[in-house]
Amino acid sequence: MISEGGLSAIFERLIGHSGPISVAHYMAESNARYYASKDPFGEDGDFITAPEISQMFGELIGLWLADMWIRAGREEPVHYIELGPGRGTLARDAMASAKRYGLTPRVHFVETSTQLKDIQLGTMPGAIWHDDLSTVPYNGPILLVANEFLDALPVRQMVKTPDGWRERMVGFQDGRFLPVAGHMPMDPAVPEARRNAPDGTIIETCPGAAAIMYEVAGRLVEQGGAALFIDYGSDVVRDGSTLQAVRSHRKVDPFAMPGEVDLTAHVDFASLAPVVESRGCRWLGTVPQGRWLRALGIEARAEALAQFAPQHAAAIRSATDRLIGEGQMGLLFKVFGMASPRWPDGAGF
């Protein structure tokens, strides 16, 4: 039995009363509880993100945004928006870099965690906080960045059984949570081209990611601007469950400790480009993070930093390799770019 208190006990009672819950429900409630209760970032947390690895990551994003804004005509007012800004590190580095080229936008953070807001306030005291995009100003172009944001949105999973497609659920059995197939037929929810897949095939979708892309694309078309979504995932259609959990920088069972671990899934970038284009917005492309950062000059920047601070040269080169190495973040992580139809092409795509 699960001990009293905490999300595990709540899920156990809910499943005992109403039956298994969807993977999407499980993931949404777990991450809401997780991010509300702690600062998960950094060496002392559960995972480390690119902005915490090196200042170069945020600096190059700031340069990319400034370049886009300058070539688009330097329109004012302009708004920098970050979805899930973590500790505010990326925004701090990006805005410091962009300022050198005259770009000083108002900074808007879309964040719901009270604990993270307190940390962000110390990093970017001039920021304006929002629960969602609806309260971000509609006047002037937007420069939007989301790093490792989409991966934490709840995914819906379908599994092919001998009786047809079913939603993948989370049940409680023998004192633990585990994935089970639901009872309701779900064949109409599966794309026709994929319905004849072998039994056991799992298909993931992320309605939340598609909804955000749809909203951001519409804002870019209406207001002008550009956006970068950076996350780990695939730019081709794939099958299988990618749900995973991380605690103290190690992968753990995603069904073992709901609300106490970071639950994520790979982003299906292949499905998001058509959403963007359906609104008349420009999809700039989806490229590996390593290739994108190289195109923006990260290796030259790293060498300059190493020469300026030779005592840190080894650490700088190690961080660079972590960001662009194919065996590390360089290949698995993708940069997804989009822009207003009135704005220019972006470097690196």
Side-chain angles (χ1 to χ4, degrees), residues 15-345:
I15 293 169
H17 182 266
S18 305
I21 60 175
S22 69
V23 168
H25 181 176
Y26 176 87
M27 187 174 178
E29 293 291 340
S30 297
N31 277 349
R33 176 71 66 95
Y34 174 77
Y35 281 100
S37 64
K38 64 185 299 185
D39 169 16
F41 302 98
E43 297 293 348
D44 296 328
D46 289 329
F47 55 88
I48 187 167
T49 58
E52 307 290 341
I53 293 172
S54 172
Q55 69 188 62
M56 294 183 292
F57 185 78
E59 289 175 344
L60 292 175
I61 287 175
L63 290 177
W64 189 91
L65 296 174
D67 174 67
M68 290 289 284
W69 174 72
I70 290 168
R71 290 190 291 122
R74 300 176 182 262
E75 185 178 345
E76 297 276 4
V78 59
H79 306 279
Y80 172 85
I81 306 166
E82 190 169 340
L83 308 182
R87 290 174 167 172
T89 306
L90 191 159
R92 180 196 64 200
D93 295 338
M95 292 300 93
S97 179
K99 186 177 181 179
R100 298 201 298 268
Y101 298 90
L103 174 59
T104 56
R106 294 303 304 269
V107 174
H108 302 268
F109 286 161
V110 177
E111 179 63 74
T112 57
S113 168
T114 301
Q115 183 159 349
L116 289 177
K117 283 180 182 177
D118 289 341
I119 297 171
Q120 293 156 12
L121 179 63
T123 308
M124 293 293 292
I128 303 167
W129 281 264
H130 307 264
D131 290 332
D132 54 50
L133 284 170
S134 65
T135 54
V136 174
Y138 282 80
N139 63 321
I142 61 174
L143 302 170
L144 184 144
V145 177
N147 180 63
E148 291 199 52
F149 173 78
L150 296 177
D151 66 324
L153 298 179
V155 293
R156 190 181 188 190
Q157 294 185 338
M158 303 293 174
V159 58
K160 179 69 179 300
T161 74
D163 299 318
W165 287 94
R166 300 290 186 267
E167 183 155 15
R168 203 165 186 239
M169 313 289 281
V170 178
F172 187 78
Q173 184 178 320
D174 299 328
R176 64 190 184 96
F177 299 104
L178 73 168
V180 297
H183 298 297
M184 293 290 293
M186 297 299 294
D187 297 72
V190 176
E192 188 170 352
R194 305 176 76 181
R195 287 182 193 169
N196 292 326
D199 290 351
T201 299
I202 295 172
I203 292 176
E204 271 181 358
T205 61
C206 185
I212 287 170
M213 286 294 181
Y214 188 84
E215 183 176 5
V216 171
R219 295 286 293 260
L220 291 175
V221 170
E222 180 180 345
Q223 296 176 240
L228 294 171
F229 286 85
I230 306 169
D231 229 311
Y232 56 89
S234 176
D235 56 357
V236 296
V237 176
R238 291 182 177 175
D239 297 335
S241 172
T242 67
L243 182 66
Q244 64 182 35
V246 172
R247 189 176 197 184
S248 299
H249 304 273
R250 294 185 178 183
K251 289 186 179 181
V252 296
D253 180 357
F255 301 106
M257 296 173 283
E260 299 176 41
V261 297
D262 175 52
L263 291 179
T264 61
H266 288 205
V267 178
D268 178 12
F269 287 110
S271 70
L272 298 179
V275 175
V276 170
E277 294 179 324
S278 74
R279 302 221 66 183
C281 186
R282 294 178 61 219
W283 168 56
L284 301 177
T286 306
V287 299
Q289 175 177 294
R291 193 174 97 189
W292 191 78
L293 290 173
R294 282 190 178 96
L296 267 65
I298 190 171
E299 290 164 313
R301 176 59 175 155
E303 198 56 40
L305 287 174
Q307 290 180 10
F308 178 77
Q311 71 275 25
H312 299 303
I316 292 168
R317 293 185 179 115
S318 174
T320 305
D321 183 62
R322 192 168 176 182
L323 291 172
I324 67 176
E326 291 193 359
Q328 301 204 46
M329 301 175 74
L331 196 58
L332 177 61
F333 279 70
K334 306 295 191 298
V335 182
F336 182 102
M338 48 200 292
S340 163
R342 307 186 300 275
W343 275 47
D345 290 333

